[in-house]
Structure formats: structure tokens, C-alpha cells
Amino acid sequence: MAVFDRGNIRRLAAALLTGASVCAYVATASSAFADDGVIVGDAQDQSKLLLTANELTYNRDAQEVIATGGVRLKYSGYRMVAQRIEYNQGTGRVVARGNIELIEPSGNRIYADELDVTDNFSQGFVNALRVETTDNTRIAGESAERVNEDVMILNNGVYTACLPCAERPDKPPLWQVKAERVIQDGKSQTVRLEKARFELFGKPIAYLPFLTVPDNRVKRKSGFLFPQMSITDKLGFGIGVPYYQVLGDSADLTVTPTFYTAQGLLLHGELRNRFEMGTHTLTFAGIDQRDPERFDAGTSDALNDRRGMVASKGDFKINPRWSFGWDVMVQSDNNFARTYDLKGYKSETQTNKLYLTGLGDRNSFDANAYYFNVQDKDDFELEERRQAIVHPAVDYRYFLPDPVYGGELSLTTNLTSLTRRNQDAYALGTSNRFPGLEGTYTRLTTEAEWKRTYTFDSGLQLTPLGALRGDIFSTDMATQGLTYGSSIDDDAAFRGMATLGLEARYPILFTAQNSSHVIEPIAQVFLRPDEQFAGRLPNEDSQAFVFDATNLFERDKFTGFDRVEGGTRANLGFRYNGTFDNGYGIRAIAGQSFHLAGENSFASPDLVNVGADSGLESDRSDYVTMAAIDAPIGLSFSNSLRLDKDNFEINRMENSVHYADNRFTGKVSYTQVKAQPNYGYDRDRDIIQTSGKIRLDDNWALFGAINYDLNNKFSSERRIGVLYQDECTIFTVSYSDEGNLSTVREAANDWSINARLAFRTLGDISVGSAAEDWDKADIGWQPNSY
């Protein structure tokens, strides 16, 4: 075949591909016919064009190129098939007919019955156009007209992000938007639906003069978002319409005016900036309450008319190991953010912090400064003034890279400095407790530990260890009200502790026909002097203490640095691990601790009686056990017990059952704690916590949760709801309420209704906090956040 005008072939390919792909840009290349009817690019050009067909005809007199029968076109990553392609050089028109399918380099698929465009692709017309993007968005129209290089107009179009029904393709999708005109603008990367009606289950439910959505290439686009709503007993019905504004490639802003029927207009905004090293978010909100008397009389919600808050949050990476940041909030009164359920700042205690962290392969550094906003009804902020202002708390852990005398040497340092404005003291049962004293407290702790493990041929493992610790204290704290206040050292003090220890383990492995088991007896002994100033110094970080199997073999069982375990102690017990060929697994720990000599630190009362009724205050401790069973059917069970050393009565028990499969996920835990009068609890405590989710089918599910105190007949949390989800729609509605035994700490709103209706690619309508609490893991997508 003779050589053909290369420019004609170039225009033919460009017109077909760019016209069908609506707004795609295709690079040009010079080409030539080969004898087998395949067009190839020049050797100097990396872009190759391939055209194959059952029959390829060139009419030189009519200046027409006609390809018929299984026409295939491939060019610059584009692939196209059709039954017939005609190109008229004289008129400059390109016509493709019959089951046209175009696949773009991005993966989008475009279908049409007939395509008629000019060879410079500035104008064109398409019949029965259908576009399927890589994110499963679908746009279809009876006909389409290409106005210019950037704009395509579809007549009588349909837009949806739902997949068609496999069994009934003619069935309407769950939701779709039908419009007289669908304008796809490649320059602004938007899809505009004019004279649109929104259909749900094939029925129109809303009519809109226009609706603009970003196309599948857009991640951020300015505009109004779907409304957000809420229903609460003190605020009434609230509706807000967020506006999202793109401020640049690395900044955006969301402003949400929300009108509450009971309290008026709340303005809430969030400014986000992304930098090369990290991110920063500025949050602000304010309202002039029009009916504060609706709240409980005398509370901070009722006593403040004009209320507002400003918060700043930053997180920055200095390098792969070091980072710093902050999260701070300032508000007009102590309960504003919690009452109005402001995202990220609605917890009972909002922790303001400034931090610097470093993390290596083994070593770590962590410095934090804290201020605690206690959000409650008390307008005098008494509870907040009792909280410590930490300035700062520094933790550093370092492991020497080389062995020292064949063992591992590590260094641990902690610096804590804090100030408290008011004394934190209260009576609990028959016990007076002082979690914090008014004034300033500083402590510097440094500890070095060396240990080495020797393994003998018999399997016996011996680990000797040695530790040296020093604490420097500086206290300037008031001691009013303390029954033993004169013993608190209001000055500088030094405390030291030296430890020699030996641990013996003898793991025994035995196997059966279908299982293997490892049982490991463990014995430890630690020789130490008595704890200096036991109970005579402030206790800020060692207040939370539960003796159980998890800390049975710890050298120092206190949870922080303010207390240090002294005296000679031995720990005896065993670990067990069993695995079975059928997928079952069993784990267990059991043992007892013995105080052998010296003063028992857990029998030495301090400001919070941390060791009282713990099971360690006597020379022979309570028995502690823990067992867990994992079943291959998705079921797991765990049990933790502390049994009285004399009569084996249950002093503490924790049970937990968890089950998960494709249809049901649930967890039930039961905690029983016997009365601890010396610790401040004069009655038994029995708490049940349960949560679950039941899938009724592939899309519908029920969920709920409850925390209930059996003795006080009190529920601290209740939630129940229903959920629908698929590839294009989320719907959830729930009812929840929260309670607190302390009326001051109770939320201003006793109950709330939370709901969410989300449409992929369009946005979502939310009521309450359902949008925040949504778990996207089940379906892998979230509505657009712009």
C-alpha cells in the first residue's frame, strides 16, 4: 500500500481518542501505513499508534479513510474498539459507529454507539454516551456534544456512584441524579447537573436547580457541603451547612454556621495547613446563647451567655526520629466545647499538651507539658484547679549498644515538675485521700539496670540483675488537712535504692499427637533496702495500682516513679502456652508474691493509700491467675483472678468474652471487685460492659453498647442503632445517653440522637456525632471531606 498523508492519520487518531474521552489530551505523532494495515510510529518517536481492522480503505478521490470490522486503535496509552471508523479529509469529520469502547490511560472506560467529531476535536457529537471511572462513578446521557477542548454537555443525563445490579441490570441503582443537562468541565474538573432530581430507590425525593460535584480526579474542591444536623434536649434541633474553601495546594478552611432552635446561631470553623514537615489545624467556635435558662440552673452552661473557644493543633517531623507538636484549647468557660459537641474537643477532660519525642531502634526520649481542661457544670472550675499543671514531664530510655560484662546495661531517667493551684482531697468511704497537694513539686529520677541471662544445657535459664536508682525531690506544697501532714518533707530530699536480683526459669516443652505445650516455672528474688520516705512524699504518678498476673513478675510493681518498691521480695509462679492442630490456643499465668524482709512498701500508707487492700500488703500475697483461650471459630475468652490467700475467696475477677465472624461481632466483660474499705470502697463493685454488632444481611446491621453498675443500678453509657452500608451509600441512626454518679461531671445534654446519610462522591448529611464515630473499615471509603 502506498504511503499515506501522515497528518491525516495523526488527526484521525487524535480526534477519535480525545473526542470520545470528553476532555482528554492526546499527544501527536507522525505515522505511516505498514503493508499489513497496522500504523506504527516513527523510530525517533516513543509514542506509537496501532490501527488494525478487518478492512482498511483509502479513497483518494473522496479523500476518505474507512476502517471496518473489529477496528482496534491504540495510541499513547489509549485503547479503542469500534465496528466502523470513517475519516473525511475534505470536511474534517471523523465518525465512529458500533459498540464504541475507549479505555483511557487512567483506567476510565467510555462507551458510545456513535461518535462524530471534527479532526481538531474542537466540536463533536456522541450518541448514547456512558462513562465509567476508576472509582466506579458512572455518567450516562442520551446524547453528548463537545463544545470545545474542555467542555462536554450530555443531554438527559444520569449520574451515580452505585454499581448496577448484577441480576437485574435494568433495575435503578440505590440512588442516582437525573438532569436535563450534565456539563463536564475538564478545566475546572467539575460535573454540573442542571435541572436535576435526586432519586432514591428509583423514586424522586428532591428537585434541585443545579448540583455541582467534583469529577473523579479532584481531591479538594471549594463549595457548600451537605448539611449537618443534631437533636439534643438542651440545644434543640440544630442544622448547619458547612462551606469548604480551598486556600491553596496546602491549606483549606471549613466554616459551619449551625442554627439551634433553643440557643441560636453557632459559628464553627477549622483552618488546616499542611507543610513540608507536618500539619497545623486552627479550630474556633462561638455563640451568643439566646436561652441559657434552658440549662440546669447554676451550671456553667446557664451562667454564660456569650461562649466561645479557640484551639490549635500542630504535628511536625524534624527528621525520621524526632517530632514535636502541641494541642491546646482556650474557651470562655469550662464546658462550652463539651456541651456543643465540638469535634476533637468534647471529652470530659481535654488534655492540652506540648511535646517533643525521639524514637530510635531501642532508645527513646519523650518530653511533655500538660494542662488539663476539666469540662463540667461547675462555673467556678474547682475540679480544674485541682489538676496538676505539668511543666514538664521528661522520660529518657537508653540501652548501651555494646554488652557490659556480657550483659545488657540500660539507663532510665524521668524528670517531673508540676504545680497545683488548689489541693485535691476528698473522703471516699472511711478513707481520706489526697491525690494532689497545693504547691510545686519537682522530682528527678535516674536508674541504671544491668542483667544477663545464662542458659544451661539442661534448659535452665538464670538471669542475675543489679540496679541502682537515685531520686532528688524538691517540694513546696501546703499540707493542710493531712492527718500525718507533719511527715511530708517540705524541702529538698534525696532517695536511693539498690537492687540485687536473680530470676530462674525452666521452660519444659512436651508434645502430644495433635498439640504442643510449654510450661515454664519461674522464681524470682529481689534483695533491697527499705523504701526511704515511704508514704511521706507526694504521690502523683503511682496512684493507679492493681495487683494481677500481668505484674506478678515485675521488679517494681508500682506504676510510676513517685513510689519505689523496697524490702526483700520473692515471686513464684509459672507460665503455660499450648497450641493445638485444630487451631485452639491456651495461655495461662499463675503465682504468688512473698515479702521476705524489711518494710513492705505496699503496707506503708501514702496520700492515696495506694497499697491498701491490694493483695500485696501482707507478707504472703493473694494468689493471682490469668487464663485465655482462643478458638478458630472467632471466639476468645479470658479470665483474671485474685484469690484470697487464706480462703481462696475472689477478691477481684475480670472476665471477657469476644466473638467475631462474618455476621456477628460482640464483646462482654464482667468485673467484680470485693469491697476495699481501707482503699475507700466500702461495698462490692460489679460492672458489666457489653457491645455488639449483628449483620442482618450484606448491607443491614444492628449495633449497641451498655455499661452497667449492678450494685448502684446505674448505667454510665447506653447506645443502640441501625446501620446500612454498600459501595455507594451509608445510613446509620442511633440513640445514646451518658450518665455520671457525680452530677457535676454529667453532660449538659442527657441524651442525643445521632444519624448519618452519606452518598459517595456527593457528600453526607449527619445528625449529631455519627459522622465522627463512623468506622470506615467495613467498606473502605468515606464521603468526600471537602
Side-chain angles (χ1 to χ4, degrees):
M1 183 176 290
V3 174
F4 175 68
D5 184 353
R6 296 175 179 176
N8 293 336
I9 300 301
R10 172 186 58 78
R11 288 190 290 272
L12 168 64
L16 285 172
L17 294 173
T18 57
S21 63
V22 183
C23 301
Y25 172 80
V26 180
T28 60
S30 56
S31 309
F33 276 117
D35 292 338
D36 58 358
V38 178
I39 305 174
V40 297
D42 286 347
Q44 300 96 335
D45 198 327
Q46 296 180 356
S47 180
K48 296 182 178 181
L49 184 150
L50 302 176
L51 173 65
T52 62
N54 293 340
E55 183 178 346
L56 186 64
T57 304
Y58 172 55
N59 188 328
R60 190 178 296 274
D61 295 332
Q63 294 184 312
E64 285 185 335
V65 177
I66 302 175
T68 58
V71 182
R72 296 179 179 271
L73 186 65
K74 184 176 181 181
Y75 184 65
S76 292
Y78 290 83
R79 291 175 292 166
M80 181 178 178
V81 297
Q83 293 299 315
R84 181 183 179 90
I85 295 178
E86 302 174 4
Y87 172 54
N88 189 303
Q89 183 181 2
T91 62
R93 305 296 295 185
V94 178
V95 178
R97 295 187 176 91
N99 298 326
I100 301 171
E101 178 180 357
L102 173 72
I103 303 177
E104 296 180 336
S106 63
N108 294 341
R109 293 176 178 267
I110 299 165
Y111 304 88
D113 289 340
E114 182 177 350
L115 170 68
D116 185 350
V117 295
T118 57
D119 60 1
N120 63 356
F121 51 87
S122 61
Q123 295 179 337
F125 187 82
V126 184
N127 278 329
L129 176 67
R130 179 164 54 94
V131 181
E132 297 179 1
T133 66
T134 53
D135 66 345
N136 289 325
T137 302
R138 286 164 165 73
I139 306 175
E142 293 181 358
S143 61
E145 180 181 1
R146 185 178 183 83
V147 179
N148 54 48
E149 297 182 13
D150 295 319
V151 179
M152 171 71 81
I153 300 176
L154 286 78
N155 301 307
N156 296 325
V158 178
Y159 176 92
T160 185
C162 300
L163 297 176
C165 178
E167 299 178 355
R168 294 178 54 190
D170 58 332
K171 181 182 178 181
L174 180 64
W175 65 265
Q176 61 184 1
V177 181
K178 290 185 177 180
E180 288 190 10
R181 295 207 317 168
V182 179
I183 303 174
Q184 185 170 12
D185 191 329
K187 188 174 183 179
S188 63
Q189 296 181 328
T190 60
V191 178
R192 180 182 174 90
L193 308 164
E194 296 183 347
K195 296 183 179 180
R197 64 180 185 271
F198 184 86
E199 293 187 356
L200 194 64
F201 298 106
K203 304 296 183 181
I205 63 170
Y207 294 87
L208 301 170
F210 69 91
L211 175 65
T212 301
V213 298
D215 67 22
N216 67 301
R217 296 169 293 176
V218 175
K219 302 300 181 184
R220 303 159 66 242
K221 188 70 177 178
S222 299
F224 287 100
L225 307 182
F226 272 50
Q228 299 175 351
M229 291 171 282
S230 64
I231 302 175
T232 54
D233 58 340
K234 298 299 191 297
L235 307 180
F237 174 76
I239 181 169
V241 181
Y243 182 81
Y244 178 81
Q245 178 65 48
V246 177
L247 302 178
D249 293 339
S250 59
D252 50 43
L253 170 69
T254 303
V255 178
T256 307
T258 302
F259 180 78
Y260 293 98
T261 56
Q263 300 301 336
L265 182 66
L266 172 77
L267 184 65
H268 179 216
E270 188 175 86
L271 174 64
R272 295 166 293 270
N273 287 274
R274 182 176 293 275
F275 304 93
E276 183 178 354
M277 294 173 56
T279 62
H280 175 253
T281 302
L282 178 68
T283 305
F284 57 89
I287 189 173
D288 186 359
Q289 296 183 151
R290 68 179 188 182
D291 188 13
E293 295 180 358
R294 188 182 181 98
F295 296 100
D296 296 340
T299 63
S300 57
D301 299 289
L303 296 175
N304 295 276
D305 296 339
R306 296 181 178 178
R307 312 177 69 183
M309 64 84 73
V310 176
S312 174
K313 184 176 182 179
D315 186 12
F316 295 89
K317 293 283 188 182
I318 301 174
N319 55 43
R321 293 191 175 187
W322 287 90
S323 63
F324 75 96
W326 64 88
D327 187 359
V328 296
M329 177 188 72
V330 178
Q331 55 183 348
S332 58
D333 60 89
N334 62 317
N335 210 33
F336 169 65
R338 183 185 179 203
T339 298
Y340 285 89
D341 205 29
L342 299 182
K343 179 181 178 182
Y345 298 95
K346 60 182 182 179
S347 60
E348 287 188 17
T349 302
Q350 175 63 35
T351 302
N352 298 273
K353 65 178 180 179
L354 174 67
Y355 64 89
L356 172 67
T357 61
L359 184 63
D361 294 335
R362 302 186 66 191
N363 307 323
S364 63
F365 176 89
D366 195 8
N368 293 273
Y370 296 104
Y371 180 88
F372 301 98
N373 283 110
V374 177
Q375 304 198 76
D376 57 22
K377 298 180 180 181
D378 180 15
D379 195 49
F380 296 99
E381 302 182 355
L382 295 180
E383 187 65 29
E384 182 170 314
R385 295 180 64 85
R386 296 188 183 106
Q387 304 303 309
I389 302 173
V390 183
H391 48 73
V394 180
D395 289 283
Y396 179 58
R397 190 77 186 274
Y398 177 75
F399 291 86
L400 269 67
D402 299 320
V404 177
Y405 294 105
E408 178 185 79
L409 179 62
S410 64
L411 301 175
T412 301
T413 298
N414 173 267
L415 169 66
T416 298
S417 180
L418 58 87
T419 298
R420 183 175 281 100
R421 292 171 288 178
N422 287 352
Q423 179 174 274
D424 186 7
Y426 59 91
L428 189 60
T430 60
S431 173
N432 293 322
R433 306 185 69 185
F434 300 85
L437 301 179
E438 179 182 345
T440 300
Y441 167 65
T442 301
R443 175 188 40 75
L444 174 64
T445 299
T446 298
E447 181 179 68
E449 181 189 65
W450 175 91
K451 60 182 178 180
R452 179 180 181 181
T453 299
Y454 296 89
T455 302
F456 298 90
D457 294 339
S458 62
L460 176 66
Q461 294 180 331
L462 293 179
T463 303
L465 64 85
L468 288 175
R469 167 173 165 166
D471 301 274
I472 300 176
F473 297 88
S474 175
T475 60
D476 182 12
M477 313 188 84
T479 59
Q480 65 270 19
L482 295 182
T483 57
Y484 45 96
S486 59
S487 65
I488 300 297
D489 286 43
D490 190 8
D491 204 344
F494 174 80
R495 180 180 66 187
M497 178 61 67
T499 303
L500 290 176
L502 179 65
E503 178 184 84
R505 299 170 181 261
Y506 193 73
I508 303 171
L509 170 66
F510 58 95
T511 60
Q513 183 176 0
N514 299 310
S515 62
S516 61
H517 310 265
V518 177
I519 185 168
E520 185 179 31
I522 302 173
Q524 296 174 324
V525 61
F526 300 107
L527 284 73
R528 296 170 292 218
D530 295 340
E531 178 187 7
Q532 295 176 289
F533 305 105
R536 294 163 52 194
L537 291 166
N539 179 2
E540 294 283 349
D541 66 359
S542 300
Q543 299 181 10
F545 176 72
V546 174
F547 174 50
D548 58 21
T550 61
N551 57 17
L552 170 64
F553 299 111
E554 293 292 330
R555 173 169 60 87
D556 188 342
K557 295 178 175 58
F558 284 114
T559 55
F561 293 93
D562 285 337
R563 294 294 306 270
V564 56
E565 187 176 343
T568 300
R569 179 172 293 274
N571 303 312
L572 298 177
F574 72 91
R575 285 195 178 102
Y576 166 78
N577 194 339
T579 58
F580 300 81
D581 293 347
N582 57 9
Y584 283 83
I586 302 177
R587 307 180 308 277
I589 302 175
Q592 191 176 24
S593 183
F594 301 88
H595 179 72
L596 303 180
E599 183 180 354
N600 187 345
S601 294
F602 300 100
S604 302
D606 64 6
L607 299 182
V608 292
N609 289 339
V610 68
D613 294 321
S614 65
L616 284 168
E617 68 276 15
S618 58
D619 290 343
R620 184 166 61 94
S621 78
D622 287 347
Y623 299 96
V624 289
T625 68
M626 186 191 72
I629 301 175
D630 299 315
I633 59 175
L635 178 67
S636 62
F637 170 79
S638 64
N639 170 267
S640 178
L641 292 172
R642 180 163 66 86
L643 304 174
D644 191 275
K645 64 182 184 302
D646 298 320
N647 53 25
F648 292 96
E649 288 186 359
I650 296 176
N651 287 328
R652 185 181 183 93
M653 177 175 64
E654 295 178 72
N655 295 310
S656 177
V657 179
H658 183 271
Y659 179 77
D661 63 11
N662 294 331
R663 293 295 180 185
F664 176 77
T665 300
K667 180 179 181 180
V668 179
S669 64
Y670 170 64
T671 301
Q672 180 188 63
V673 183
K674 195 175 180 179
Q676 298 170 289
N678 293 326
Y679 191 61
Y681 294 97
D682 56 359
R683 62 188 301 180
D684 295 347
R685 285 166 289 165
D686 296 88
I687 308 294
I688 291 180
Q689 296 176 299
T690 180
S691 62
K693 180 179 178 182
I694 303 174
R695 286 191 176 275
L696 305 179
D697 56 26
D698 291 340
N699 303 114
W700 288 94
L702 298 175
F703 60 90
I706 186 171
N707 295 344
Y708 191 74
D709 186 330
L710 296 176
N711 294 327
N712 292 303
K713 310 298 182 184
F714 176 76
S715 176
S716 61
E717 178 188 7
R718 290 179 293 183
R719 180 184 295 268
I720 188 171
V722 62
L723 164 70
Y724 174 87
Q725 60 182 25
D726 62 21
E727 82 286 347
C728 64
T729 308
I730 300 171
F731 170 73
T732 178
V733 60
S734 66
Y735 169 87
S736 65
D737 63 13
E738 296 182 4
N740 197 305
L741 288 174
S742 170
T743 57
V744 173
R745 304 301 296 274
E746 286 183 352
N749 299 289
D750 297 331
W751 55 264
S752 64
I753 295 176
N754 307 287
R756 189 183 196 192
L757 180 59
F759 306 106
R760 188 171 65 86
T761 72
L762 292 184
D764 65 310
I765 303 172
S766 62
V767 177
S769 60
E772 295 178 45
D773 301 333
W774 175 250
D775 181 5
K776 66 179 180 179
D778 289 345
I779 54 177
W781 67 269
Q782 281 187 312
N784 295 330
S785 59
Y786 37 75

